[in-house]
Amino acid sequence: MTLIRVALDVPVARLFDYRCDDRAAQIGARVLVPFGRQKLIGIIVARPDISEVPEAKLKRALSVLDAEPLLGRADLRLLEFAADYYVHPLGAVIMATVPAALRRVRSREEKPTAYALTAAGAAADVATLPPRARAQRELLALLQDHPAITHGAIAALGAATRKALQTFITQGWVQTTILPQDKPATMSTPAAGPALTAEQNTAVETITATLGTYQPVLLWGITGSGKTEVYLHVIAAALSRETQVLLLVPEIALTPQLESLVIARFPGIPVATLHSGLADGERATRWQDARNGRARIVLGTRLSAFTPLPDLGLIIVDEEHDTSFKQGEGFRYSARDLAVVRARQAGVPVVLGSATPALETYRNAVDHRYQLLTLPERINARPPVISCIDLRHEKAIDGLSPRLIAAIGKRISRNEQSMVFINRRGYAPVLMCGSCGWMSDCKRCSAKLVVHLRERRLRCHHCGHDSAVPSACPDCGDADLAPVGQGTQRIEAALAKHFPKARILRVDRDTTRRKDAWQDMRSRIRERTVDILVGTQILAKGHDFPHLNLVGVVNADGMLYSNDFRAAERLYALLTQVAGRAGRGDQQGEVLVQTEFVDHPLYAALRDQDFDAYARSLLAERRQAGFPPYVHQALLRAEARTVDIALHFLAQAARNARRLKPAVTVYDPVPANMMRKSGRERAQLLVQSPSRADLRTFLNAWRPYLAETASTAARWSLDVDPAEF
Ligand code: ADP
Ligand code: ZN
Ligand code: ZN
């Protein structure tokens, strides 16, 4: 009899002990267990000698599903770190990272795929079995002849054989196994890329020299400086050392182009692309490929940071500053930060690439904790010229200033492409009554309903509310309703009026919903069947459009002032990305930013394209004000039917915290910036400390109190290193 400790996907913050008949049960393997009236699949995380639960009360595990651990020791170590650091239950952390298809109980009885002999079974002599145990003798002989036999094949031999199998498992002769996989593809020579520039070459050589040791590297290269080419070269070096590579990207939308680049460069090397858009079965297959070493390059979004990689040799995080690397609900983790932890645990280099590194990362580089490699110049192109259009002197009509209109007209006449960037989809952010001042508020959120004129709908972008545009004001009955402000649809309409012959393409979440839509649009842009692009963030990231020479930014001011201390950092990064789309071919790019605050330091820095100076000034401000990265924060978030219930819970939590006499600062509970969302009201409590260790110690001491004081009325979660307030 063996004891096993199991991680299960249940909303209880603990692990569960079971008795197990399978003495070969290994840590990291999946196991089917009874749980209440259900059967669940969990992962064995320990084989304890004793349990706190009296042995007689322990239930018996039904069957161990993997003979070889699904998660290796190194994988569990990373998950244990994450659970501890993010103060999240280990069971929930583990089960969040294992593909759903491998966690699902399919049939009445989940059966492992195949069986093989253990060392004891292989050494056993058929002659020692009692002559009457015919089924046992036959089965042992059969297993000694084959490396593994599938469950189906054994089951087909009849009830006596199935019983013999159980006996062998119980006495430790047989273990479950995965059928032997094909051998990993042999290394083929990478296709040739362009000759590297001197800076690229230095970066590649420096990173390659660190293979085999832990070394975090910040690859800071302006847009168009050829960071991808550097990645491809260091990937080649890691592959030739027969190691696997983990390449993290912020968004699904960015995976197809990078995937095709990688496949073209490394023909014959199995690449596993992992993102949340995959069907469960497909995701599980690719994950298994990575886990058993068949896939040599894993390319994926944040969750793939946890993919088991037995031969991991290099981690790359592209656009490391991107907020998509932070998981915003449930198990809230930063894939970028965990990538660094994973690299340290595995003793491999990690390359963080960006044109506008996160201030946390930049500070580490400035302080020499990370090695800084710089690509200061564009490949074969000059950086764009960025200037501001002063809206106080030049009136915009329908969101577009005459100067921007004229600039677009000039590009069209030269058969060049332009892009207008606006951070909001829909037609207008709100509908307003001209006679009583009524506004289209969402009843379930602290937000306005956005006008989608083409579909004649009012939609909430937070809770999904969707209703018809009313023909009269719901308050006063007047028909004088008007959309206020601009969204992508309205800019598109205004451009169509100015340029009736131009081919205009709108790119936002609404037009790219269909699978492959964005990919089709990208080819249209490259084939030059588009004159003007209008769109949101989707257009900002990482695309290389050689005929796009003008970028207009509309409405950036809206993002300039915000309660979030990271607003300026984020806006600078976003605008740099957007500006980076201009002039990547042989023409110099032009970027026009419409604003009412031309003298704002952010716009001045943007015009100078001096990230280093701006980052240092922001860091100085953060240090002065006592903000991250100079302190470490955690946010206790609570939501309830009313904000008072949430605040009440937080007040109790704050009292508990102070009673612990913590070495951290505990602030007072406040309503969240967006207080109401999807019909729930939200509040939060900030705790912070200059010492990461102190914060971690405190949070782990605090958590049990939170679980205790929590009522069903208030739901709570801890957010360590919160990215949003
Ligand atoms: P970044 O990711 O830094 O914005 P990219 O990696 O997209 O830049 O590179 C910009 C462009 O320059 C791409 O079209 C890429 O193929 C090209 N490129 C990169 N390195 C070289 C090089 N050494 N010689 C010629 N072209 C290059
Ligand atoms: Zn009205
Ligand atoms: Zn809403």
Side-chain angles (χ1 to χ4, degrees), residues 124-130 137-138 140-141 144:
D125 187 349
V126 176
T128 61
L129 292 171
R137 297 171 73 103
E138 281 173 14
L140 184 60
Q144 284 177 340

Side-chain angles (χ1 to χ4, degrees), residues 382-696:
R382 282 168 295 166
V385 176
I386 303 179
S387 40
C388 287
I389 297 178
D390 190 342
L391 290 180
R392 290 167 309 181
H393 302 306
E394 237 187 281
K395 260 272 96 9
I397 300 162
D398 278 337
L400 299 170
S401 63
R403 199 169 132 205
L404 180 55
I405 296 286
I408 294 172
K410 204 167 92 193
R411 296 292 167 174
I412 293 178
S413 70
R414 290 206 240 150
N415 196 19
E416 294 172 26
Q417 293 172 327
S418 308
M419 170 177 130
V420 178
F421 173 80
I422 174 163
N423 193 26
R424 203 177 264 126
R425 66 193 165 93
Y427 186 81
V430 63
L431 186 68
M432 195 170 151
C433 170
S435 88
C436 78
W438 169 88
M439 290 209 261
S440 56
D441 289 312
C442 176
K443 292 198 172 52
R444 296 162 52 77
C445 305
S446 322
K448 306 283 183 233
L449 296 176
V450 176
V451 185
H452 286 249
L453 202 60
R454 183 159 304 184
E455 305 86 347
R456 303 207 60 79
R457 310 293 294 176
L458 290 180
R459 287 181 184 150
C460 176
H461 288 183
H462 301 280
C463 71
H465 169 98
D466 189 333
S467 58
V469 172
S471 50
C473 172
D475 275 7
C476 73
D478 202 297
D480 180 21
L481 294 176
V484 179
Q486 271 80 39
T488 46
Q489 289 186 352
R490 192 172 207 166
I491 297 290
E492 181 189 20
L495 286 166
K497 228 181 329 167
H498 283 289
F499 305 106
K501 290 213 196 82
R503 296 159 298 179
I504 304 173
L505 178 67
R506 174 160 60 91
V507 184
D508 57 25
R509 191 124 48 92
D510 298 317
T511 61
T512 54
R513 221 169 282 263
R514 182 178 58 78
K515 197 171 170 280
D516 300 334
W518 176 217
Q519 231 168 319
D520 295 346
M521 288 180 181
R522 280 210 339 264
S523 8
R524 280 181 60 195
I525 300 165
R526 294 189 140 267
E527 286 156 15
R528 301 177 85 164
T529 60
V530 173
D531 301 309
I532 312 174
L533 287 158
V534 182
T536 55
Q537 255 93 319
I538 307 177
L539 283 178
K541 295 178 183 175
H543 311 295
D544 208 12
F545 300 131
H547 309 291
L548 177 67
N549 292 326
L550 171 70
V551 168
V553 177
V554 170
N555 250 356
D557 289 348
M559 295 177 275
L560 205 50
Y561 295 99
S562 146
N563 290 338
D564 198 319
F565 65 87
R566 287 193 180 88
E569 176 189 352
R570 299 251 165 88
L571 181 56
Y572 187 89
L574 176 62
L575 294 182
T576 302
Q577 289 283 327
V578 176
R581 298 316 111 212
R584 292 169 73 103
D586 19 309
Q587 292 289 316
Q588 183 163 31
E590 174 186 15
V591 179
L592 297 172
V593 181
Q594 298 188 159
T595 173
E596 292 182 20
F597 309 96
V598 268
D599 300 324
H600 193 286
L602 188 146
Y603 292 129
L606 192 70
R607 285 191 297 263
D608 293 345
Q609 302 181 51
D610 191 347
F611 172 80
D612 177 61
Y614 192 54
R616 283 174 194 269
S617 76
L618 289 180
L619 279 172
E621 277 174 37
R622 297 268 186 96
R623 186 195 287 275
Q624 185 83 33
F627 281 131
Y630 299 98
V631 299
H632 304 283
Q633 301 182 320
L635 206 57
L636 176 61
R637 301 175 185 271
E639 59 165 68
R641 202 167 38 76
T642 70
V643 73
D644 286 339
I645 298 174
L647 285 168
H648 178 75
F649 163 74
L650 294 177
Q652 244 176 319
R655 273 197 300 277
N656 280 331
R658 292 189 179 113
R659 224 170 281 148
L660 290 168
K661 302 238 176 310
V664 304
T665 311
V666 178
Y667 288 90
D668 288 325
V670 290
N673 274 348
M674 189 180 165
M675 192 182 85
R676 218 171 138 72
K677 193 175 171 191
S678 302
R680 306 273 292 173
E681 298 200 335
R682 310 166 333 142
Q684 61 202 30
L685 168 62
L686 178 68
V687 295
Q688 71 178 37
S689 166
S691 153
R692 210 185 265 288
D694 283 350
L695 183 64
R696 207 161 141 186

Side-chain angles (χ1 to χ4, degrees), residues 708-724:
E708 220 169 82
T709 38
S711 65
T712 46
R715 281 225 317 256
W716 61 273
S717 62
L718 267 175
D719 190 351
V720 179
D721 303 331
E724 266 168 80

Side-chain angles (χ1 to χ4, degrees), residues 103-116:
R103 289 184 265 130
R104 200 172 298 133
V105 183
R106 237 154 300 168
S107 53
R108 261 189 306 138
E109 194 90 335
E110 181 80 11
K111 286 293 177 195
T113 46
Y115 299 92

Side-chain angles (χ1 to χ4, degrees), residues 369-390:
R369 275 191 290 267
Y370 293 179
Q371 183 160 13
L372 178 62
L373 296 172
T374 312
L375 303 178
E377 270 156 48
R378 273 194 174 182
I379 305 273
N380 300 331
R382 282 168 295 166
V385 176
I386 303 179
S387 40
C388 287
I389 297 178
D390 190 342

